Amino acid sequence: MDTSKDLAAQNLIAKIIEAVGTDLMKSEQIFAEELHTDQPVIRDIHEHVSRFRGKRIRPTLLLLTADACGGINHSHHVLAAVVEMIHTATLVHDDVLDDANTRRHVATVNSRWNTETSVLFGDYLFTHSFHLASSLESTYACRQIGRSTNIVCEGELTQISERGNIDLTEERYFEIINGKTAELCAVSCSLGAYYSECTEEEIAALEQFGRDLGCAFQIADDILDIMGEETQAGKSLGSDFYKQKMTLPLIRLLQMAEPADEEIIRGLLASPSAENWEKLTPYLQEYRAIESARQTASEYATSARANLAKLPDSNSRTILEELTEFAIQRSH
């Protein structure tokens, strides 16, 4: 366990709580009120899902962006709840697609209940997110959220269609992660800026900040799937390999390997098993594929920070800058 990384993460979390903690609580209250129901089974599922919702990165991005752009208002609290609902819905559906039993050491909805419940509860979250977004006076947020959700679903569908494609290109890989991960980060930042009445130029810059940050996060996740610690990740390592998802480290490995090794690696990727996973990992180390992917994540983080230059100096801007480093240095 890397205690220095854990300490840095704890310090960053403390700064976030100090800056927007009260606003995150208001957003959580809106989230809970929107999903309030008299149906016991839905209450049980909601309570269960709240245990693996994670870092609240997207609502945090929306609120920090709003604060850095001039101030947080009620619209931001509502939209922070909206983007977290959408993200949670994608998690619930992802667990069905991946046939996952646990997320963050907690049983998934599909393993605790069943697939039908997971699909319907994910849909329930999606519909509530749009209902909540429509409560704002302007239809702008609904349009932007709708467009982004379409892109997220396209990214997920594309990833499924490419499973088992060992020849997946980097270009195609980045199309997938831009949709399934980066898009919701991007719209979170752009909505934070828009509802603080930023200029179009500032909104565009912050949208790009969120997109670059999202890509950095996803590449880091791909690396952690290979090199992380199972006790911290809350899941088994190598899940992308077993599901035949070609991620950036694996794509880079094929690019960098000598022809004879490339043929062996292709065979291992084509027949995922615990034995072949053990055989594959030394090649990742030998060809420094992890280091290559980590460098690309670092480049995205640097690009993200550059987009913050248009904002005035503030505590929230500093935290956003630190988030770019957290994205690529975290241990889980």
Side-chain angles (χ1 to χ4, degrees), residues 283-301:
Y283 288 108
L284 286 159
Q285 295 170 356
E286 178 183 350
Y287 287 104
R288 300 181 66 82
I290 296 293
E291 288 80 356
S292 176
R294 186 173 285 122
Q295 177 59 35
T296 300
S298 180
E299 290 166 2
Y300 270 105

Side-chain angles (χ1 to χ4, degrees), residues 233-244:
K235 63 177 183 178
S236 298
L237 300 184
S239 60
D240 292 330
F241 167 76
Y242 290 113
K243 292 294 182 181
Q244 292 190 296

Side-chain angles (χ1 to χ4, degrees), residues 85-117:
M85 268 184 208
I86 291 172
H87 176 59
T88 306
T90 65
L91 296 182
V92 173
H93 282 171
D94 280 353
D95 288 338
V96 174
L97 298 174
D98 292 340
D99 196 25
N101 292 319
T102 60
R103 179 179 287 277
R104 300 186 182 280
H105 309 285
V106 177
T108 56
V109 176
N110 46 301
S111 64
R112 172 79 180 271
W113 283 273
N114 51 54
T115 297
E116 293 89 343
T117 299

